[in-house]
Amino acid sequence: MLGVPEEILEPLSRSPVARDVAHRAGVSTATVSRVLNGSAGVRADKRAAVMRAAQDLGFVANGAARALSTRRFMAVGAVVPNIENEAFVRVLSSFQERLRQAGYTLVAANAGYDLEDELREATFLLERGVDGLMLVGDIHHPDLHARIARHGIPMVQTFSLSRERPCVGFDNAASAARAANYLVDLGHRRIGVISGLRKDNDRGGARVTGIAQALEARGLRLAPEHDIEISYGIGGGRDGFRQMLAGGPPPTAIICGTDQIAFGAMIEARARGLDVPGDLSVIGHNDSDFAPFLDPALTTIRIHSAEIGHAAGDHLIARMQGRPVVRLTQIDAELILRASTAPPRKPDGV
Amino acid sequence: MLGVPEEILEPLSRSPVARDVAHRAGVSTATVSRVLNGSAGVRADKRAAVMRAAQDLGFVANGAARALSTRRFMAVGAVVPNIENEAFVRVLSSFQERLRQAGYTLVAANAGYDLEDELREATFLLERGVDGLMLVGDIHHPDLHARIARHGIPMVQTFSLSRERPCVGFDNAASAARAANYLVDLGHRRIGVISGLRKDNDRGGARVTGIAQALEARGLRLAPEHDIEISYGIGGGRDGFRQMLAGGPPPTAIICGTDQIAFGAMIEARARGLDVPGDLSVIGHNDSDFAPFLDPALTTIRIHSAEIGHAAGDHLIARMQGRPVVRLTQIDAELILRASTAPPRKPDGV
DNA sequence: ACGGTTTCTGAAAGCGCTTTCAGATAGCCA
DNA sequence: TGGCTATCTGAAAGCGCTTTCAGAAACCGT
C-alpha cells in the first residue's frame, strides 16, 4: 500500500530521444527540434502531434547534445570565497534568481580565499563550458583572466569596483570611511578596527585603508595596536577585541569587518564590564539578520547583496545575449544607525 | 601601465579543439583523447608531444562534447528548500567537497519549501543531464520520483530517513523526543514548541510529533496553545513566543525549530522580564555558530550537517560508479547541553 | 632473419541535437 | 486550371569528443 516499488520505472530501456518523438509523431527530428525550440513556422497539426508525442514519451532533450550543437551551455559559473558566508550566499541567491528567469543554470564553486584554489575552481567551471562567470573581488590569480578570455566568455566581478574589468559593487574604502567619519563626528578619537583576513582579499584591505585615510584626514590615526586582523567569526571577534585591549589605551569605538566579529567583540566587551555603547561604540558590516536583535542593536554597514546579485546577473545575461552594458555598476553600501554607537562617555581631547 | 587592454586575447579566433592538438603533435585525435584521459598504452614520446601541444594551445576539452560522447555529465544536482539556511549550506558545502574530489560538479538549486517549485527545479537539473540528484526530506511532488527514474539516475534524500528511498539522515522525531525527555527529566511539565512552517516539511512535522508523543509517554501533553508554527527567523521566534504567552499559563520550557527561533524567543522572554533558564528553559536546533555565544549559551540539537553531506556524496558517487551501497545511513543528531536549560524554578505539580 | 605476438595508433562511427539547404506543399492570382 | 510565390518539411551535415576495430609497428624467441 505504500506505492509501487521503485524498480518499476528504473529499467526503462533508455530515455526517449528526439528520433523516438519524431517517429511517433510521424515527422522528422528537424521538425521536433523546431517545435520544441524556436518553433517558427510549423503547421499547427504537426506541432500538436509533436507536442503530444513528446508528452507521451516524457521526452526531455539531452542537454549535452544541445549544448554541443548550439555551442551555448546555458549555464553560468560563480566562484565565491566562502559559500557559508551570508553575504555571498545572498548574492548567489539573487544572482541565480535572475539567471533562472533567463533560462540559465548557476553553477557555484567555493574558493576559500585562496588564489590558486580560485583559479582551479574557475578552470573547472570553464571546462564545463559555462557561458559566463561571476567572480568576487579584484584580486585574482595572474593567469585567470587570460583563461577566461581564451574561452571567450564574459565575466563580471562583484563587491569591488574596478577600472579594468566589468564590475558590480561598491567602494569598500569609501563606505568604511563613512563609518569612521560618523564615529569621529560623534566625538570619538581612538578608533579601532577588527577585520577578517586580508590576504588576497581586497575588500577587507580596502576597508581598513579607507578607515585609516579617513582618520588621517581628520587629524587622527589608526594606531597599529588598534588594527587587528583575525579569522572570521564570533570567536575571532572576541579574541580580536581581547587582543586590542592588551595593546595600550583602549579605543572608544571599533569598526568590525562583519557583524559576527562585532557580535564577538561586544560579548568580550561585556565580559570585561564595558558598556556598549557607553564605553565602546561598535559598528559591523553586512547587516546580518541578527544585527537588529543584538543588545544593543548593532549599527552596521548594509551591503545590498540582493541588488548586487541582480545587477551582476543582468549584466552577464545582457552580454551573453550580445546586448550593450555599462562596465561599472555602483551599488552603494549604507550605514544603518542603531543603538551600538553613541558619543564617547567622556569626550577625549586629542 | 595598468596592463594590457582586455581585448588583446578576446578575439582569439576560436578556442582550440582536439584536432588542433592532434595536428600540432602529429597524431590523431584518438591519441589525444587517450593521452588526456584513460591514458592507457600510448608511447612515451607521443604522449609527451600531445601534452606539449595541449599545453601550448591552452587546450581545454569541450565538456558538452565529452558528456555527449561518454553519456556521463560528471555533475550532480541538489535541490534544497532554502539555500540561505545555514544547515543546508553546510550540507551542500560538504557534499560538494566529496563530489569535487571525485571529479563531479555540484549544481545546486533552491526550491523554497514548495513542492511544485521543487519539481520544477529538479526537472531543470535533470534536463541539464546531471548524473545524480540529492533531495532534502521525504515529501516530494508525486511526479518527481517517476521523472528521476525515467532518467535512470540515482538519487539520495537527506535529513529524513525513509524506508523506500536511499537516504542519509536522522530520526527527527526521535531526536526532538530526546530533547523533550531531557526537559521532563529536569522537572518541566509545561513544555512548548515553536517550529518553522511545517507544510511540505516532514522534518518540522516529525519533530513536533516526536515531542508530542514523548510528552504523552510521560503522561503529559503538548497543549495546542503551546504548539506554535511560525515562519523562520529571529523575528518569527519573538512573535511565536509572544503568541504562546498570550494563550494561557506560560510554559516553563520551549523547544524551537532552529537556533534563530530560539534566539528570538529568548529576546522576547528577556523583554518580558523572564529569566532564562530560571523562568524559561530554551532548546534550539542546528547548533548554529552563534549558539554558544548567546547569553545564556543555548542548549541545542546539533545536526551533523557536514557528515550528512559527506555521506550523501559518498553514497551517490558509489552508485554512479556502480558500486554497492547501503540504502539507509543514519547520522544521529546530538543534544548539546549548555546554559539555557535548567530545572524549573518552582517545580510544577502536574 | 623470420613468423608470431604484443603493443600502438588512426580511421571512422557514433553520441543526440540544431540548422542549413533544397525540394515538396500549399496558397494565390489571373 | 496553370504558374508563381510563400510556407513547410526532411535529409544530411555538422558540433567535438570517445571508443571500437583493424591494421601498422615494435618486439620476441629461435
Side-chain angles (χ1 to χ4, degrees), chain A residues 17-18 30 33 37 59 61-62 65-66 69:
Chain A
V17 299
S33 173
N37 305 326
F59 171 73
N62 177 313
R66 167 175 290 160
S69 184

Side-chain angles (χ1 to χ4, degrees), chain B residues 9-308:
Chain B
L9 275 164
E10 193 90 57
L12 195 78
S13 52
R14 117 198 114 74
S15 28
V17 299
R19 207 143 70 88
D20 301 328
V21 177
H23 259 136
R24 193 171 231 268
V27 300
S28 72
T29 62
T31 298
V32 170
S33 173
R34 277 190 276 259
V35 171
L36 268 29
N37 303 327
S39 40
V42 173
R43 235 172 38 210
D45 56 337
K46 300 230 172 194
R47 165 188 307 287
V50 170
M51 296 292 246
R52 187 76 217 292
Q55 192 77 44
D56 292 351
L57 261 34
F59 171 72
V60 176
N62 176 313
R66 168 175 288 161
L68 179 58
S69 186
T70 59
R71 245 140 308 171
R72 288 186 305 123
F73 192 50
M74 297 308 279
V76 335
V79 185
V80 299
N82 177 9
I83 209 167
E84 305 196 21
N85 183 122
E86 208 180 335
F88 297 133
V89 172
R90 288 200 300 227
V91 167
L92 285 180
S93 179
S94 53
F95 185 62
Q96 183 190 28
E97 197 179 310
R98 278 293 200 276
L99 295 175
R100 188 68 184 69
Q101 285 164 1
Y104 286 87
T105 302
L106 170 63
V107 185
N110 213 152
Y113 294 100
D114 182 283
L115 262 34
E116 290 288 345
D117 286 347
E118 186 191 43
L119 179 67
R120 209 162 37 73
E121 293 296 334
T123 303
F124 196 69
L125 296 178
L126 253 17
E127 284 178 21
R128 283 289 189 267
V130 294
D131 301 314
L133 199 54
M134 187 203 95
L135 262 27
V136 171
D138 200 20
I139 302 184
H140 304 286
H141 192 285
D143 294 354
L144 182 55
H145 291 294
R147 293 210 189 173
I148 296 172
R150 165 162 283 131
H151 279 258
I153 63 167
M155 82 107 203
V156 62
Q157 71 179 40
T158 53
F159 282 91
S160 309
L161 299 177
S162 160
R163 289 222 151 281
E164 290 145 58
R165 322 259 170 217
C167 56
V168 175
F170 56 97
D171 187 333
N172 285 276
S175 54
R178 202 172 335 141
N181 279 320
Y182 166 67
L183 291 173
V184 175
D185 290 344
L186 282 180
H188 292 278
R189 293 296 173 266
R190 285 199 313 278
I191 296 172
V193 172
I194 308 179
S195 84
L197 298 177
R198 291 170 212 164
K199 177 173 176 311
D200 298 336
N201 176 348
D202 56 307
R203 282 89 59 209
R207 289 173 190 174
V208 177
T209 311
I211 292 167
Q213 290 177 345
L215 293 182
E216 268 162 40
R218 305 287 292 260
L220 302 169
R221 67 187 268 273
L222 176 58
E225 67 270 23
H226 289 165
D227 178 5
I228 308 281
E229 181 175 348
I230 51 136
S231 52
Y232 278 95
I234 298 175
R238 293 191 69 159
D239 295 346
F241 188 61
R242 196 174 303 138
Q243 208 174 314
M244 194 180 284
L245 292 186
T252 61
I254 56 174
I255 301 175
C256 300
T258 66
D259 290 347
Q260 274 78 10
I261 294 176
F263 186 7
M266 277 169 58
I267 291 170
E268 185 63 24
R270 173 174 304 162
R272 303 241 169 178
L274 295 175
D275 177 59
V276 176
D279 301 314
L280 180 76
S281 284
V282 178
I283 297 184
H285 257 95
N286 285 4
D287 195 20
S288 298
D289 55 1
F290 62 82
F293 296 105
L294 294 186
D295 180 25
L298 183 65
T299 291
T300 185
I301 294 174
R302 176 186 293 167
I303 294 167
H304 297 277
S305 309
E307 290 176 38
I308 292 181

Side-chain angles (χ1 to χ4, degrees), chain A residues 236-287:
Chain A
R238 292 191 70 158
D239 295 346
F241 189 60
R242 196 174 305 139
Q243 208 173 314
M244 192 179 287
L245 291 186
T252 62
I254 56 174
I255 301 176
C256 301
T258 66
D259 289 346
Q260 274 79 10
I261 294 176
F263 186 7
M266 278 170 57
I267 290 171
E268 185 62 23
R270 174 172 305 161
R272 304 244 168 177
L274 294 175
D275 177 59
V276 176
D279 301 313
L280 180 76
S281 283
V282 179
I283 297 185
H285 257 95
N286 285 4
D287 196 20

Side-chain angles (χ1 to χ4, degrees), chain A residues 59-92:
Chain A
F59 171 73
V60 177
N62 177 313
R66 167 175 290 160
L68 179 57
S69 184
T70 58
R71 246 139 307 170
R72 289 186 303 125
F73 192 51
M74 297 308 280
V76 336
V79 185
V80 299
N82 176 8
I83 209 167
E84 304 196 22
N85 183 121
E86 208 180 334
F88 298 133
V89 172
R90 288 200 299 226
V91 166
L92 285 179

Side-chain angles (χ1 to χ4, degrees), chain A residues 14 48 72 110 127 152-153 193 199 238 263 295 322 335 341:
Chain A
R14 116 196 116 75
R72 289 186 303 125
N110 212 151
E127 284 178 21
I153 63 167
V193 172
K199 176 173 177 309
R238 292 191 70 158
F263 186 7
D295 180 24
L335 183 61
T341 43

